[in-house]
Every structure is written in structure tokens, then in C-alpha cells.
Amino acid sequence: MGRVLVAVVVVVTVVVFFSTSLGECKCEIKGIFNFGDSNTDTGGFFAAFPSERGPFGMTFFKKPVAEAIGIPFVSPYLKAIGADFRHGANFATAASTVRLPNTSLFVTGVSPFSLAIQLNQLKELQSKVHDNVSTPLPSVSTFGKALYTFYIGQNDFTGNLAYIGISGVKQYLPQVISQIASAIKEVYGIGGRTFWVLNLAPIGCYPAFLVELPHESSDIDEFGCMISYNNAVRDYNEMLKKAIQQTRAVLPDASIIYVDTHSVLLDLFQHPTSYGLKYGTRACCGQGGGNYNFNPQVFCGNTKLINGSTLTATACEDPSKYVSWDGIHATEAANKIVTLAILNGSKFDPPFLLHRVCDLQRI
């Protein structure tokens, strides 16, 4: 995902759905501050680099965790017009990495808004709470009662994967994990006490990577996913889980939760029909048809002239039947299933009884 997407990416995972009107339910969580990439970008990248929008967002269902805990939509931090930060901010932007990028956005598509920059944005926001500004800001107490979510690292994993292979990427993954742990400690230092860290998705099942990453036919499992790449993600997730455990040990009064969204997504790719879907490893919005409907030369929503032919990557008629939206991100249907799994508490380590801190509502 280390590339520029030409439209605002669909909202795709848990934290972005914390919206509804205040007062509908009681919740000890008073805000959300999210750090991430395109998986949780709700318009930050578009605010920084405006471009065409469609067909992203065509099925946005605007609910889950939002309606469940009663916190309004969290505005993208980079949004200048109409932003409301009273209940948190979303620092995520498409193509962001944990590590500082050593290249330009316009050369390789890597976002300049790495995790370190996003942390600085949080600190800047906190420093402004006493200033007389027109944009609604959080109260001082919100920072200590907020949920801090981290869903970032996938671009670090996949950005150079096709060129240096799994063994090459594994050389710097400990650094990625170390920086996530350090970020948690930094946020703790300015008052944060509740953290969710989401693990990486099974990239070996994503249509884009099935097309772009080198592999042998023997590396494809019975579900159509790449075994070696999924095993590498499992190794990373296990390292991440151990790092979270170690961080928890040195911050005993913090609640640091490892969130296993990987297992939900993997099961969706492997058994889509069990969830009322139809297609696992085929993209809804893409070009080329076939098993994957993904053309790396023509991303979702784009039209290009290639070898004398005009090719357009369009959306399927019914995205609710697909796990993969554009070959790189999940559909709203898939994300709703992931969100529900998180709400029921089955994917938290250690257990985090969300219903005990929030009067959860039906979604």
C-alpha cells in the first residue's frame, strides 16, 4: 500500500466508526485519537492532496462502534474546514508508515505523515487546548480519558516486499514494532492510558498482492492465499503481541490491548459465504476481471490509456458480496463484520470488556 491512491480511501476499520450524537449512551471513553494509514484514513490524505473522490465511499454504512459508544465522528487532523476535535482526532493518512520515509511521496508514493509526524500532530493539538481558536478542541481531561488506537505498519511490511522479499523485510520489522511501542510510551507520557493496537491483515489473501508479489503455484493454499506471505505476517503479529506485553509490564496503570483483527479477516477470505459474502480474493473495484480483478496499472476509479486501449477500473454492482474493495482494502461489508467481532470483545488480548466502560447500543 505504499502508493498514492487517487481518491479518498473508503473508511475501513473500527476506530473510524466512533460517531453519533452525544448523549445517546454513557461511556467512560471521552475521545478517540487514531494513528494509522489508509486502513483508517477518513480524509486526511485527501485534505493534504486533493483529488477525485469516486467511487470510494459508495457503500459507507456510517455506524458500528460509532453508534455503539456514542462519540461523534473523529475529524481528520489535516482537515481545515469544518473540523471538530472535541472528541479526538484522526491522524491517519493513506500510504503512511511507522518508520520515517527516506523517499518522496511523488517518487514512490509513501506518505510524509509517518507515525512520528502523527505523534507530533497529537502533541501540537494538545498544546493548543488553551488557545482562543475557532476550531472546536478537546478539553484537557479528554486526553486522559480517550482511547488511542494504532493501526499502522502494513506499508512498512509491504512497501518493498516485492523487491527485497520476506527475508529482507524481516530485517527491519523489529524496528517497526519498537517504534510502535515507543509511541505508546510517548502518548502515555502526555496522559494517555487506554490503547488498542491492531495487528496486520493477512496480505497473502489480498488480490493486489496475489497479482504483484512473486510466488509459485505451490505457495497457494486451498483458499487461494499465499502461504509464505501469510506466515510472515503471523510472525510479525506474534512479535507485535510480545512487544505489547512487554510495554504493558512497564506501564502497569495503562490498559494496552492487542486487537486481533487478522483472524477475522483471514476467516473472511477463507470462508466468505459463511458471512453472507461471495468473493474472497477477488476485488470489487478493479480492472481485468479474472480471479482477482486487479490491474496494478489502473487502480480503482482510474482510467488510463494503455497500449492504445482505454481501461477503467470500476466498482462492482454489489460490493456487499466482496471481502476486498479495491484489491488493497476491505469492503464496508467486511469491515462491519470485523467491527462487530471487536465490539463483542472476542479479539482483545488481554480481555477488555468494552460493555463495562460503555453503554453499548445495537448497531
Side-chain angles (χ1 to χ4, degrees):
M1 294 196 298
R3 58 180 62 140
V4 179
L5 299 180
V6 291
V8 176
V9 179
V10 284
V11 183
V12 289
T13 196
V14 282
V15 297
V16 293
F17 302 120
F18 286 81
S19 74
T20 190
S21 59
L22 277 175
E24 292 183 11
C25 60
K26 296 179 180 180
C27 187
E28 293 177 17
I29 297 172
K30 301 304 180 184
I32 308 292
F33 294 98
N34 179 59
F35 307 93
D37 51 31
S38 61
N39 284 314
T40 50
D41 182 354
T42 52
F45 189 90
F46 178 82
F49 307 100
S51 57
E52 296 179 56
R53 294 176 181 242
F56 296 96
M58 62 182 283
T59 61
F60 178 37
F61 60 93
K62 302 181 180 67
K63 295 184 179 180
V65 178
E67 289 191 352
I69 74 167
I71 292 178
F73 271 119
V74 179
S75 294
Y77 180 76
L78 296 174
K79 182 180 179 182
I81 301 172
D84 184 346
F85 300 124
R86 285 175 296 175
H87 301 281
N90 188 2
F91 305 103
T93 64
S96 288
T97 55
V98 172
R99 300 185 306 156
L100 285 170
N102 58 5
T103 183
S104 166
L105 169 72
F106 301 104
V107 174
T108 60
V110 177
S111 170
F113 303 107
S114 65
L115 180 56
I117 300 300
Q118 293 180 28
L119 279 172
N120 286 340
Q121 291 172 338
L122 169 67
K123 294 173 184 177
E124 175 71 8
L125 180 64
Q126 189 183 44
S127 73
K128 298 294 184 183
V129 295
H130 295 298
D131 292 354
N132 184 21
V133 297
S134 58
T135 301
L137 298 179
S139 66
V140 174
S141 63
T142 298
F143 292 92
K145 297 178 180 179
L147 171 64
Y148 294 85
T149 54
F150 294 79
Y151 193 9
I152 190 168
Q154 190 159 317
N155 291 320
D156 297 89
F157 194 102
T158 62
N160 294 315
L161 191 54
Y163 307 104
I164 63 177
I166 293 172
S167 61
V169 169
K170 281 188 173 182
Q171 297 300 310
Y172 58 75
L173 291 182
Q175 179 186 354
V176 172
I177 292 171
S178 175
Q179 289 187 26
I180 292 174
S182 294
I184 292 172
K185 293 174 184 176
E186 278 198 58
V187 175
Y188 177 90
I190 61 173
R193 290 297 183 270
T194 306
F195 305 85
W196 287 3
V197 183
L198 283 67
N199 61 7
L200 292 193
I203 65 162
C205 298
Y206 280 62
F209 299 125
L210 282 159
V211 170
E212 295 184 303
L213 294 178
H215 62 278
E216 302 293 335
S217 58
S218 59
D219 194 33
I220 300 296
D221 65 17
E222 61 183 302
F223 305 106
C225 301
M226 296 179 288
I227 299 169
S228 59
Y229 294 101
N230 275 351
N231 285 343
V233 170
R234 287 193 184 95
D235 291 343
Y236 171 88
N237 285 340
E238 190 58 36
M239 287 192 295
L240 178 64
K241 187 175 183 179
K242 289 180 180 178
I244 296 306
Q245 291 170 345
Q246 293 167 355
T247 306
R248 193 181 301 126
V250 298
L251 303 175
D253 62 331
S255 178
I256 309 173
I257 310 299
Y258 174 85
V259 186
D260 182 21
T261 54
H262 173 277
S263 63
V264 188
L265 285 166
L266 182 63
D267 201 46
L268 275 168
F269 279 114
Q270 293 177 339
H271 308 101
T273 57
S274 298
Y275 297 88
L277 309 184
K278 184 176 181 180
Y279 303 102
T281 57
R282 177 183 170 89
C284 164
C285 186
Q287 193 280 324
N291 292 332
Y292 308 125
N293 191 36
F294 180 82
N295 184 340
Q297 293 180 285
V298 191
F299 297 144
C300 176
N302 278 9
T303 296
K304 281 190 177 181
L305 182 65
I306 300 176
N307 297 327
S309 298
T310 300
L311 304 179
T312 301
T314 57
C316 60
E317 290 186 3
D318 189 359
S320 68
K321 297 299 182 183
Y322 289 73
V323 177
S324 177
W325 164 245
D326 58 357
I328 304 171
H329 307 93
T331 59
E332 290 302 329
N335 283 304
K336 184 174 183 179
I337 292 167
V338 173
T339 304
L340 290 170
I342 291 175
L343 282 176
N344 71 30
S346 63
K347 300 303 172 181
F348 293 133
D349 179 53
F352 181 83
L353 302 178
L354 187 58
H355 68 276
R356 290 191 177 180
V357 296
C358 289
D359 179 18
L360 297 178
Q361 306 298 301
R362 288 183 63 86
I363 59 172

